Amino acid sequence: MSFELGPLFLAVVAYLGLLFLIAYAAENGRLPERLIRHPLTYTLSLGVYATSWTYYGSVGFAHREGHNYLTIYLGVTLAFLLWPLLLRPMLRLTRDFQLSSLADVFAFRYRSQLAGALVTLFMLIGLLPYIALQIRAVTQSIQVLTFRTAPEALALGFCAILVLFAVLFGARHATPRERHSGLVAAIAFESAVKLVAMLTVGIFALFGVFGGFQGLEQWLAAHPEALTRLNRPVHEGPWATLLLLAFAAAFLLPRQFHMLFTENEEEEKLRVAAWAFPLFLLALNLAIPPVLWAGSRLLPEMDPDYYVLSITLVGEARWLPVLVFLGGVSAASAMVIVTTLALAGMCLNHLILPASLAGRREPYPDLYRWLLWGRRLLIAAIIFAGFGFYLLARQRQGLAQIGLISFVAVAQFLPGVVGLFYWRRATRAGFIAGLLGGAAVWGYLLIVPLLQGSMPPGEGAWLVAAHGGGLWPTVTFWSLTVNTLLFVVVSLVTTPDPEEREAAYACCRDSVLPPRGLVAADSPGQFQERLAELMGPATAAKEVARALADLKLAADEQRPTELRLLRERIERNLSGLVGPLMARAIVDDSLRLDTRARSALADTVRFMEQRLDASQSRLQGLAAELDGLRRYHRQVLQELPLGVCALGPGREVVIWNQTMGALSGVDGEGLVGSPVGRLPEPWGGLLNRFSASGEPHLYKLQAKVAGEAKRLNLYKAAIGADGAATPGGVVILVEDITEQTTLEAELAHAERLASIGRLAAGVAHEIGNPLTGIASLAQNLKEETDPAYIRESIELVLEQTRRIRDIVQTLVTFSHGGAPVARDHAAIRLCDCIEEALRLVRLARDAKEMACTSRCAPEIEVRGDRPRLVQVFVNLLANACDASLPGDAIEVSVGVDGPFAEIEVRDEGEGIPEEFQGRVFEPFFTTKEPGQGTGLGLPMVYTIVQDHGGTVRIQSRAGEGTRVVIQLPLA
């Protein structure tokens, strides 16, 4: 059975056209989003690993190396089994820092443009043979089907179609942060085609050639050398070397890196791929032994690399060879498209852009368009460079042998990966030296012979002879040995600079390094203006707006901490656009960072909290226990019934707990990092003044919060920096005592009413005397006719009436004075308050037996609430009367002590026992007998004096009387 060249080429065009339709449908929402984003679709897209080497060459490799062919898949399986240690950290790194290629990763880690350029050049040179291999596989498969040599124009046309597809659906966006859903869907479809075709040809080999399992067993029994050929290389061949090469290729090949990390941001997809992708590779491998044996039986003279296709020609179904051929086209086209897409981005970011931007001071009119078309032109150039290499490399080596050349090249990055995640001491000099050494060995022993058609002279010949002509195992060993030795030795003799150390901390999975410095710009508007000087106004506006949206910040943001985060976000977004080092260069040039400025404590705390939260699942042992305690203490702090506001050294808010948020009505989520002075009133001014004052506490402060009057207690403590005498911040506790204050006022009012009850007998006596006089005068007036006497009696009646009115008014004023009503303080004379208190106390019958005197200068004034101050003196005088005996003296004296008026109330009573003096201001504590006192008098005195900004102290000895001294600020 044979085919014509024209129909086969049309089949290729039709198949690639189908891929166009699938990609177009995915990009335009014609395919279900759920299907495109499904983890199994992502897993199938990783099938780009299975190239024409896998599809065709694995049978030839099994023919030469026996069961060693399995290592190409077992190495990948090993890499995916280690995904928590290898793939997940890489996904986190590429996602967090917007790194779109392996060159970006190494340039970011080692902070070297040279490192990125070397990785790009080495990858480009190392993969051109692999691209040429795909072109060769397609042309030779056509040759197998047509029984004649395929013209080079056919290969050129195939390359042109691949360029068109890669440009349309692999380079649709200027930045890799925008995923190519159409490309992913098309590559997943191609992987499904490869799998179906391979399984179909395997079934054909088993049942169409051997007639089933029994026929295969009979043939193997008759040809035992077939099994021997498979088993022998396992004991003699380079099993470990092949495992290592496949392990490295699983995630370091540009196509694998692109599909694994650049086109994926979800860790759950990687978790599914960790088991699903090895199963996919296992299914591909199932057909290889029966296909190999079928080819050995039917076409022993054919090239084993193409047994997959050639055995189908002995059948009668013409669709089967076409299906298998299209499977080979899928394998080749997927590899070329994704590889060139990845290589184009690497070349643009690490070769073209550094040269283009060097010394450039004028902005790009449209940077996005420039980058997009630059990437598209590079895709075309790389594909046609692969075509050129296909024309130059005339060696008749097997497909697998050519593929292994690229695998050995990719393995040179393994030492750098160790330094990426697990060795912070690694330096850029060590990485570059190791890579150059390994590349030199690889190029001299593998690439030069491939191009020249001869083996290297001199020492190289004995290596070839020693390994039976298979040079790549030796090259793998010596290239990696030279690479690793140079990497380690040079890293140890050189010192990483601060930027390298910062990047090492960012890459090592359990490391945290708080951000440093503050950006000089004051607003996002200034960010945009400065970036526009190099990137152009349109690009700068889009990048600033994108970064603001990513961080959920407003366009008028001015907080220094948030502006530094905005700068960092812009740098990361630009990293996905132009590479990490070019992004840093642009941001450093336009948005300078003052590294001498100390980063806000709030920013450091938030950064550490985020990193610890992200690392929770990886913490073990003591670290996990400490993290659990941290979370517990953090929860306690958040749910504390007191408002907690912690300020950093720069007076920025570090902690704003839930109670503080509920009390203030200000959400703490977007507040952390803001200067305390910018908080809404009254909190901004209140907390700023209190934090700057020398007062450790403020009691019963009045504040209006959301239109409601509040009473607050504030407490403050300075937090010292580690090992420093200067404060490292301030923590403020805010207690809402509005309800307590209202209750105290109501209790004070109740105390006044109780006092009125105790004064009732004296009041009755005081009112009774004038009433008796009024009654007598009224009786005399009945019989009196003398006008003069009548007028005199009326005046006496009025005088007694006024006396009754004054007594009643004093009682009414006293009874209402304690109601919880807010009053403004005014200047009042102390003498008036004391005299009014004395009059009230004298109404009690017991007080008449004491000698109550007052010495007060009439000009002494204080600012306060008169009724409440009268309450103070009534309580003190009433206590003095209760403690005194008939005939004892009670004296009130007022003087001036600096800015304070000093009032002293002294009695000659029984005094207060020393053990009780510390408790006399506690509510409901009393030394009187039950029923004789409430224990609220002195606590009310203390509260009222504190509200007036004064102090009160008691000096007393048992049996010697008591001296109460009050100080109030002068008016």
Side-chain angles (χ1 to χ4, degrees):
M1 182 188 304
S2 65
F3 292 84
E4 293 298 324
L5 183 61
L8 285 179
F9 185 75
L10 290 177
V12 172
V13 173
Y15 175 72
L16 293 178
L18 176 62
L19 294 183
F20 274 88
L21 292 177
I22 293 172
Y24 180 82
E27 291 280 354
N28 291 275
R30 303 294 179 87
L31 293 179
E33 183 73 14
R34 183 178 179 184
L35 175 63
I36 297 174
R37 299 181 62 86
H38 197 279
L40 291 180
T41 302
Y42 168 70
T43 301
L44 282 175
S45 71
L46 299 181
V48 71
Y49 175 81
T51 66
S52 58
W53 168 13
T54 300
Y55 192 79
Y56 292 132
S58 288
V59 177
F61 195 54
H63 177 76
R64 290 181 292 271
E65 299 291 339
H67 283 304
N68 280 343
Y69 82 92
L70 290 172
T71 58
I72 302 303
Y73 311 103
L74 293 178
V76 177
T77 301
L78 178 61
F80 275 78
L81 287 177
L82 296 177
W83 76 274
L85 302 176
L86 194 64
L87 303 184
R88 182 167 63 185
M90 185 72 80
L91 178 63
R92 176 192 59 82
L93 184 66
T94 56
R95 179 182 57 201
D96 291 349
F97 295 96
Q98 297 289 324
L99 307 175
S100 58
S101 68
L102 195 63
D104 284 357
V105 169
F106 285 126
F108 173 82
R109 164 59 179 89
Y110 298 105
R111 289 291 191 242
S112 170
Q113 192 68 57
L114 178 59
L118 286 176
V119 171
T120 300
L121 286 172
F122 188 42
M123 198 74 83
L124 184 62
I125 296 171
L127 289 172
L128 281 179
Y130 213 168
I131 295 173
L133 182 150
Q134 312 308 313
I135 301 172
R136 173 184 161 185
V138 172
T139 57
Q140 287 199 248
S141 62
I142 291 177
Q143 184 176 337
V144 169
L145 292 177
T146 60
F147 295 101
R148 58 180 177 176
T149 303
E152 292 176 355
L154 184 64
L156 185 62
F158 175 67
C159 292
I161 296 174
L162 294 183
V163 168
L164 183 62
F165 185 90
V167 166
L168 288 179
F169 294 104
R172 293 176 62 86
H173 312 298
T175 169
R177 64 175 282 163
E178 300 179 50
R179 309 302 169 201
H180 298 88
S181 58
L183 176 69
V184 173
I187 299 301
F189 176 77
E190 287 199 301
S191 296
V193 170
K194 285 184 290 191
L195 181 60
V196 170
M198 183 62 79
L199 291 177
T200 302
V201 77
I203 294 172
F204 171 78
L206 181 60
F207 294 97
V209 177
F210 293 106
F213 290 102
Q214 186 175 359
L216 177 60
E217 290 177 2
Q218 292 173 357
W219 186 85
L220 289 175
H223 299 82
E225 71 279 2
L227 287 175
T228 303
R229 190 183 302 119
L230 280 178
N231 295 327
R232 184 185 302 115
V234 176
H235 306 289
E236 302 173 358
W239 178 275
T241 303
L242 286 170
L243 273 178
L244 177 65
L245 294 178
F247 175 83
F251 64 99
L252 294 179
L253 282 170
R255 64 179 187 274
Q256 291 302 112
F257 190 96
H258 188 84
M259 301 310 296
L260 269 170
F261 309 118
T262 306
E263 295 292 350
N264 173 47
E265 284 188 337
E266 301 175 24
E267 191 174 302
E268 180 59 30
K269 292 181 180 179
L270 193 59
R271 193 188 310 273
V272 173
W275 58 265
F277 187 56
L279 289 180
F280 171 82
L281 295 179
L282 175 62
L284 279 178
N285 277 305
L286 291 177
I288 291 176
V291 170
L292 172 62
W293 293 326
S296 300
R297 176 180 180 180
L298 297 176
L299 305 165
E301 73 286 352
M302 285 286 296
D303 184 354
D305 280 343
Y306 295 96
Y307 278 170
V308 171
L309 184 60
S310 59
I311 66 171
T312 62
L313 296 176
V314 302
E316 297 180 358
R318 293 184 64 85
W319 61 267
L320 182 57
V322 175
L323 173 64
V324 176
F325 170 69
L326 292 179
V329 172
S330 295
S333 60
M335 182 273 170
V336 174
I337 290 169
V338 180
T339 299
T340 53
L341 176 63
L343 288 176
M346 294 166 66
C347 292
L348 184 65
N349 290 349
H350 300 279
L351 299 179
I352 306 300
L353 274 175
S356 173
L357 292 176
R360 184 186 180 100
R361 304 309 307 167
E362 55 194 42
Y364 284 93
D366 190 345
L367 181 60
Y368 291 132
R369 184 178 179 83
W370 191 92
L371 292 173
L372 183 60
W373 280 102
R375 185 173 287 110
R376 288 173 173 176
L377 291 174
L378 283 170
I379 288 172
I382 293 170
I383 290 179
F384 288 119
F387 175 73
F389 197 93
Y390 157 76
L391 296 178
L392 289 175
R394 298 297 185 178
Q395 294 296 106
R396 297 295 299 172
Q397 290 178 314
L399 297 178
Q401 296 295 330
I402 297 177
L404 285 171
I405 293 175
S406 297
F407 274 32
V408 175
V410 169
Q412 303 307 312
F413 301 115
L414 283 176
V417 171
V418 174
L420 186 69
F421 293 124
Y422 302 106
W423 192 31
R424 299 178 198 163
R425 185 64 179 77
T427 65
R428 70 167 67 95
F431 174 73
I432 292 172
L435 186 59
L436 287 174
V441 175
W442 169 83
Y444 180 67
L445 295 178
L446 290 181
I447 294 297
V448 173
L450 186 65
L451 294 176
Q452 292 182 348
S454 62
M455 301 310 296
E459 296 86 356
W462 71 268
L463 292 174
V464 179
H467 290 273
L471 189 60
W472 59 266
T474 302
V475 176
T476 302
F477 173 78
W478 286 109
S479 62
L480 282 178
T481 299
V482 171
N483 189 337
T484 303
L485 285 176
L486 287 174
F487 177 62
V488 173
V489 172
V490 176
S491 292
L492 291 177
V493 298
T494 55
T495 303
D497 60 28
E499 281 197 351
E500 284 185 86
R501 286 195 293 268
E502 179 184 352
Y505 272 96
C507 292
C508 291
R509 61 190 181 93
D510 291 327
S511 300
V512 287
L513 186 65
R516 299 179 293 115
L518 295 175
V519 65
D522 297 329
S523 68
Q526 288 190 12
F527 278 49
Q528 184 173 325
E529 292 173 4
R530 296 179 184 182
L531 287 172
E533 296 174 1
L534 183 60
M535 302 173 60
T539 305
K542 287 182 181 179
E543 289 300 325
V544 172
R546 176 178 292 167
L548 287 170
D550 291 342
L551 296 174
K552 295 181 174 60
L553 297 179
D556 58 352
E557 181 61 63
Q558 293 184 343
R559 290 175 289 176
T561 299
E562 305 306 314
L563 291 178
R564 197 200 54 73
L565 291 176
L566 179 63
R567 179 190 185 274
E568 180 180 307
R569 189 67 196 183
I570 290 174
E571 180 182 338
R572 293 189 181 188
N573 289 348
L574 288 178
S575 177
L577 189 68
V578 298
L581 294 187
M582 291 304 303
R584 170 158 288 209
I586 291 173
V587 171
D588 284 347
D589 184 64
S590 303
L591 304 171
R592 297 189 182 277
L593 191 67
D594 184 4
T595 56
R596 295 173 299 175
R598 188 174 180 180
S599 297
L601 178 62
D603 190 30
T604 302
V605 169
R606 178 166 50 188
F607 176 83
M608 298 293 287
E609 290 282 345
Q610 290 173 349
R611 291 302 301 269
L612 287 172
D613 287 341
S615 303
Q616 182 182 9
S617 60
R618 298 197 298 269
L619 297 179
Q620 296 179 353
L622 181 59
E625 294 291 336
L626 291 175
D627 185 60
L629 289 175
R630 176 192 67 84
R631 293 173 187 276
Y632 175 76
H633 291 149
R634 181 79 175 179
Q635 192 67 19
V636 169
L637 190 64
Q638 284 295 324
E639 298 187 5
L640 199 68
L642 292 175
V644 179
C645 171
L647 306 179
R651 298 277 178 83
E652 76 280 4
V653 177
V654 178
I655 296 175
W656 189 271
N657 75 343
Q658 296 174 4
T659 304
M660 195 71 194
L663 175 61
S664 64
V666 180
D667 183 19
E669 191 66 29
L671 190 64
V672 174
S674 300
V676 66
R678 294 184 183 175
L679 296 179
E681 291 300 328
W683 303 103
L686 175 63
L687 297 178
N688 196 27
R689 289 191 300 270
F690 181 52
S691 64
S693 71
E695 294 292 331
H697 48 69
L698 293 176
Y699 291 119
K700 297 189 176 179
L701 191 69
Q702 295 188 33
K704 183 162 287 189
V705 180
E708 182 181 355
K710 293 280 187 181
R711 287 282 189 147
L712 307 172
N713 285 345
L714 275 69
Y715 311 89
K716 178 180 66 180
I719 304 173
D722 292 340
T726 56
V730 176
V731 61
I732 298 174
L733 300 182
V734 181
E735 181 184 15
D736 183 5
I737 57 167
T738 305
E739 293 183 2
Q740 177 183 339
T741 304
T742 303
L743 179 60
E744 288 178 357
E746 292 174 351
L747 290 174
H749 185 51
E751 175 67 11
R752 284 177 170 79
L753 296 179
S755 300
I756 292 173
R758 291 194 296 269
L759 298 174
V763 170
H765 183 268
E766 289 295 326
I767 293 177
N769 288 336
L771 284 176
T772 302
I774 291 172
S776 300
L777 290 170
Q779 288 177 358
N780 293 335
L781 285 174
K782 285 183 179 182
E783 307 297 333
E784 189 60 56
T785 58
D786 183 5
Y789 183 79
I790 291 173
R791 284 196 300 273
E792 181 181 358
S793 297
I794 291 173
E795 289 293 333
L796 290 174
V797 169
L798 291 174
E799 180 181 350
Q800 295 301 320
T801 304
R802 283 194 296 270
R803 182 181 174 188
I804 294 173
R805 183 196 64 193
D806 289 343
I807 294 172
V808 173
Q809 184 63 43
T810 300
L811 286 173
V812 170
T813 301
F814 180 66
S815 66
H816 286 284
V821 178
R823 297 182 178 87
D824 293 330
H825 288 190
I828 55 176
R829 295 200 309 166
L830 278 176
C831 290
D832 295 341
C833 294
I834 293 171
E835 288 300 327
E836 183 175 343
L838 285 172
R839 285 197 302 271
L840 285 167
V841 172
R842 288 192 184 108
L843 292 175
R845 186 180 299 276
D846 294 340
K848 295 179 180 180
E849 300 176 359
M850 320 298 174
C852 297
T853 60
S854 170
R855 293 187 294 107
C856 176
E859 69 275 7
I860 298 177
E861 292 184 343
V862 296
R863 291 192 66 82
D865 184 352
R866 178 183 176 121
R868 299 186 74 200
L869 289 179
V870 171
Q871 169 75 52
V872 169
F873 301 128
V874 167
N875 285 359
L876 293 178
L877 291 170
N879 284 347
C881 292
D882 290 342
S884 301
L885 297 175
D888 287 347
I890 298 174
E891 182 180 4
V892 181
S893 61
V894 180
V896 176
D897 183 8
F900 294 95
E902 186 171 276
I903 307 102
E904 178 181 319
V905 179
R906 182 177 58 82
D907 65 58
E908 299 175 344
E910 59 187 11
I912 303 173
E914 185 176 353
E915 63 270 19
F916 295 148
Q917 291 182 20
R919 301 183 60 193
V920 293
F921 294 120
E922 295 179 8
F924 305 108
F925 175 80
T926 180
T927 59
K928 299 176 182 178
E929 295 296 327
Q932 296 184 7
T934 63
L936 292 173
L938 287 178
M940 291 301 105
V941 168
Y942 180 84
T943 298
I944 295 171
V945 172
Q946 284 286 325
D947 286 349
H948 283 74
T951 61
V952 57
R953 65 181 186 272
I954 291 180
Q955 299 174 355
S956 179
R957 289 186 179 180
E960 298 183 7
T962 300
R963 178 171 173 264
V964 181
V965 179
I966 294 174
Q967 285 191 330
L968 294 172
L970 291 169

